[in-house]
Amino acid sequence: MMTEHPQRRTTRQRTAIGEFLAHAGDFRTAQQIHEQLRMGGDRVGLATVYRTLQSMAEGGEVDTVRTADGESAYRRCTTSGHHHHLVCRSCGRTEEIMAKAVEAWAATIAAQHGFTDVTHDVELYGLCARCGATSTR
Amino acid sequence: MMTEHPQRRTTRQRTAIGEFLAHAGDFRTAQQIHEQLRMGGDRVGLATVYRTLQSMAEGGEVDTVRTADGESAYRRCTTSGHHHHLVCRSCGRTEEIMAKAVEAWAATIAAQHGFTDVTHDVELYGLCARCGATSTR
DNA sequence: GTCTTCATGAGAATGATTATCGATCACAAC
DNA sequence: GTTGTGATCGATAATCATTCTCATGAAGAC
């Protein structure tokens, strides 16, 4: 009744990935995580990184977004529950955003068109204050 | 005086892809377009499909979205200008949506966080009225 | 028709993600 | 501490969408 993850073991690798994400503030791709863990001395296989991130995403422990070129990037959620992101397209800094207004809007629109079981995907991209000053886009 | 695209030739292949998109109502991936053109007797290379879609996307002639597994899908815009989509995750039917409210919201949020040059990505996914009745998700 | 230049396409290359599968390790029971 | 068992790991091969290469073909200008 309380075992949500019947068989989920605590391994060195999973711990390492979890801690890495806890420190990294913003989104990282599986490849980046793999490389940086290696450089940090943690010996973790690439396949394991992918597997772990996937299961963490299923469990709602991390957020997932797609980068412009189609790669998946992951981030430890700091806000529980549903939220969106404002990502700097230059430095990757990310702000988590909650907006009831958008949720309500989405629900309304969906209903108007007869859609049910609706989810949505809302991401904002821009240049953060620091990058905006120097960027050439 | 009227050549908006200095060097953009009208070829059999580009015409075929354009017409295909005009008929297809919803989003199609490059692979699908390629396969279906072939089956329809049009001899078009896969690379050409990708190239053409890319240039059409740049020119704002088609919309682009990412499917759940990271593939790009394209659709002939029926609405000019900026808009969003409401996509049925079962049958792929798509509705184009315009929402000033969301635009305004995005701009406001961005400004609050000091972000500039902001774009956004808003897609709604659900089950359309027809699919909703039978689907098991 | 001729010429110049862009477009095409078959196949190779790239790069992220997933699958394979024997070796290894976590952890509960003894 | 030992042991048994099954989940997990990881090196590498396999997949698969997308991009690149470059010789050949076709559009448009004259």
Side-chain angles (χ1 to χ4, degrees), chain A residues 9-10 31 46-47 50-51 54 71-72:
Chain A
R9 296 181 176 173
T10 311
Q31 306 274 349
L46 181 57
Y50 276 102
R51 266 187 302 241
Q54 212 163 271
E71 297 171 59
S72 297

Side-chain angles (χ1 to χ4, degrees), chain B residues 9-10 31 46-47 50-51 54 71-72:
Chain B
R9 296 180 178 171
T10 311
Q31 305 276 350
L46 181 57
Y50 276 102
R51 267 187 302 240
Q54 213 164 268
E71 295 171 60
S72 297

Side-chain angles (χ1 to χ4, degrees), chain B residues 3-68:
Chain B
T3 54
E4 307 193 20
H5 304 296
Q7 37 232 156
R8 189 81 153 277
R9 296 180 178 171
T10 311
T11 67
R12 175 177 56 79
Q13 293 85 343
R14 288 184 187 172
T15 306
I17 293 171
E19 292 195 342
F20 178 84
L21 284 174
H23 291 151
D26 42 357
F27 285 93
R28 298 292 159 88
T29 66
Q31 305 276 350
Q32 290 174 333
I33 294 171
H34 176 243
E35 186 185 350
Q36 294 186 33
L37 279 178
R38 286 249 157 146
M39 296 195 334
D42 281 304
R43 223 171 161 55
V44 181
L46 181 57
T48 301
V49 175
Y50 276 102
R51 267 187 302 240
T52 303
L53 287 173
Q54 213 164 268
S55 74
M56 289 175 107
E58 275 172 20
E61 300 162 55
V62 297
D63 285 333
T64 309
V65 297
R66 291 260 179 200
T67 66

Side-chain angles (χ1 to χ4, degrees), chain B residues 7 9 18 20 22 24 28 58 69 73 88 92-93 109 116 124 133:
Chain B
Q7 37 232 156
R9 296 180 178 171
F20 178 84
R28 298 292 159 88
E58 275 172 20
D69 33 290
C88 174
R93 182 210 310 263
I109 291 286
T116 54
L124 309 186

